[in-house]
PDB file of all heavy atoms in Angstrom:
ATOM      1  N   ASP A1445      -0.698  48.527 -24.745  1.00  0.00           N
ATOM      2  CA  ASP A1445      -1.943  48.781 -25.468  1.00  0.00           C
ATOM      3  C   ASP A1445      -2.774  47.507 -25.406  1.00  0.00           C
ATOM      4  O   ASP A1445      -2.560  46.565 -26.175  1.00  0.00           O
ATOM      5  CB  ASP A1445      -1.639  49.164 -26.917  1.00  0.00           C
ATOM      6  CG  ASP A1445      -2.898  49.490 -27.705  1.00  0.00           C
ATOM      7  OD1 ASP A1445      -3.950  49.718 -27.073  1.00  0.00           O
ATOM      8  OD2 ASP A1445      -2.824  49.495 -28.950  1.00  0.00           O
ATOM      9  N   ILE A1446      -3.708  47.464 -24.474  1.00  0.00           N
ATOM     10  CA  ILE A1446      -4.509  46.251 -24.256  1.00  0.00           C
ATOM     11  C   ILE A1446      -5.553  46.119 -25.359  1.00  0.00           C
ATOM     12  O   ILE A1446      -6.379  47.011 -25.556  1.00  0.00           O
ATOM     13  CB  ILE A1446      -5.191  46.276 -22.880  1.00  0.00           C
ATOM     14  CG1 ILE A1446      -4.132  46.400 -21.781  1.00  0.00           C
ATOM     15  CG2 ILE A1446      -6.034  45.026 -22.672  1.00  0.00           C
ATOM     16  CD1 ILE A1446      -4.710  46.539 -20.391  1.00  0.00           C
ATOM     17  N   SER A1447      -5.489  45.016 -26.068  1.00  0.00           N
ATOM     18  CA  SER A1447      -6.399  44.768 -27.175  1.00  0.00           C
ATOM     19  C   SER A1447      -7.279  43.557 -26.873  1.00  0.00           C
ATOM     20  O   SER A1447      -6.773  42.468 -26.569  1.00  0.00           O
ATOM     21  CB  SER A1447      -5.605  44.518 -28.461  1.00  0.00           C
ATOM     22  OG  SER A1447      -6.409  43.969 -29.467  1.00  0.00           O
ATOM     23  N   LEU A1448      -8.593  43.759 -26.949  1.00  0.00           N
ATOM     24  CA  LEU A1448      -9.510  42.638 -26.727  1.00  0.00           C
ATOM     25  C   LEU A1448      -9.324  41.574 -27.801  1.00  0.00           C
ATOM     26  O   LEU A1448      -9.449  40.378 -27.535  1.00  0.00           O
ATOM     27  CB  LEU A1448     -10.962  43.141 -26.716  1.00  0.00           C
ATOM     28  CG  LEU A1448     -11.360  44.029 -25.532  1.00  0.00           C
ATOM     29  CD1 LEU A1448     -12.813  44.488 -25.680  1.00  0.00           C
ATOM     30  CD2 LEU A1448     -11.181  43.283 -24.218  1.00  0.00           C
ATOM     31  N   GLY A1449      -8.993  42.026 -29.015  1.00  0.00           N
ATOM     32  CA  GLY A1449      -8.730  41.077 -30.092  1.00  0.00           C
ATOM     33  C   GLY A1449      -7.512  40.231 -29.800  1.00  0.00           C
ATOM     34  O   GLY A1449      -7.502  39.017 -30.035  1.00  0.00           O
ATOM     35  N   GLY A1450      -6.457  40.875 -29.258  1.00  0.00           N
ATOM     36  CA  GLY A1450      -5.251  40.145 -28.897  1.00  0.00           C
ATOM     37  C   GLY A1450      -5.509  39.151 -27.782  1.00  0.00           C
ATOM     38  O   GLY A1450      -5.009  38.018 -27.814  1.00  0.00           O
ATOM     39  N   ILE A1451      -6.296  39.583 -26.782  1.00  0.00           N
ATOM     40  CA  ILE A1451      -6.634  38.688 -25.669  1.00  0.00           C
ATOM     41  C   ILE A1451      -7.427  37.488 -26.174  1.00  0.00           C
ATOM     42  O   ILE A1451      -7.202  36.351 -25.744  1.00  0.00           O
ATOM     43  CB  ILE A1451      -7.441  39.452 -24.589  1.00  0.00           C
ATOM     44  CG1 ILE A1451      -6.563  40.514 -23.933  1.00  0.00           C
ATOM     45  CG2 ILE A1451      -7.989  38.486 -23.534  1.00  0.00           C
ATOM     46  CD1 ILE A1451      -7.290  41.411 -22.968  1.00  0.00           C
ATOM     47  N   LYS A1452      -8.313  37.742 -27.118  1.00  0.00           N
ATOM     48  CA  LYS A1452      -9.099  36.653 -27.696  1.00  0.00           C
ATOM     49  C   LYS A1452      -8.198  35.668 -28.439  1.00  0.00           C
ATOM     50  O   LYS A1452      -8.359  34.447 -28.320  1.00  0.00           O
ATOM     51  CB  LYS A1452     -10.157  37.219 -28.644  1.00  0.00           C
ATOM     52  CG  LYS A1452     -11.105  36.173 -29.212  1.00  0.00           C
ATOM     53  CD  LYS A1452     -12.158  36.819 -30.098  1.00  0.00           C
ATOM     54  CE  LYS A1452     -13.085  35.756 -30.689  1.00  0.00           C
ATOM     55  NZ  LYS A1452     -14.119  36.374 -31.579  1.00  0.00           N
ATOM     56  N   MET A1453      -7.229  36.189 -29.194  1.00  0.00           N
ATOM     57  CA  MET A1453      -6.309  35.322 -29.930  1.00  0.00           C
ATOM     58  C   MET A1453      -5.419  34.513 -28.975  1.00  0.00           C
ATOM     59  O   MET A1453      -5.022  33.392 -29.289  1.00  0.00           O
ATOM     60  CB  MET A1453      -5.428  36.165 -30.854  1.00  0.00           C
ATOM     61  CG  MET A1453      -6.194  36.839 -31.989  1.00  0.00           C
ATOM     62  SD  MET A1453      -6.862  35.653 -33.197  1.00  0.00           S
ATOM     63  CE  MET A1453      -5.343  35.108 -33.970  1.00  0.00           C
ATOM     64  N   ALA A1454      -5.116  35.106 -27.816  1.00  0.00           N
ATOM     65  CA  ALA A1454      -4.241  34.434 -26.846  1.00  0.00           C
ATOM     66  C   ALA A1454      -5.029  33.690 -25.774  1.00  0.00           C
ATOM     67  O   ALA A1454      -4.460  33.267 -24.769  1.00  0.00           O
ATOM     68  CB  ALA A1454      -3.328  35.460 -26.178  1.00  0.00           C
ATOM     69  N   ALA A1455      -6.329  33.512 -26.001  1.00  0.00           N
ATOM     70  CA  ALA A1455      -7.204  32.935 -24.974  1.00  0.00           C
ATOM     71  C   ALA A1455      -6.745  31.547 -24.522  1.00  0.00           C
ATOM     72  O   ALA A1455      -6.694  31.263 -23.322  1.00  0.00           O
ATOM     73  CB  ALA A1455      -8.641  32.870 -25.487  1.00  0.00           C
TER      74      ALA A1455
END
Side-chain angles (χ1 to χ4, degrees):
D1445 182 16
I1446 301 176
S1447 166
L1448 292 178
I1451 293 174
K1452 185 178 179 181
M1453 293 293 290

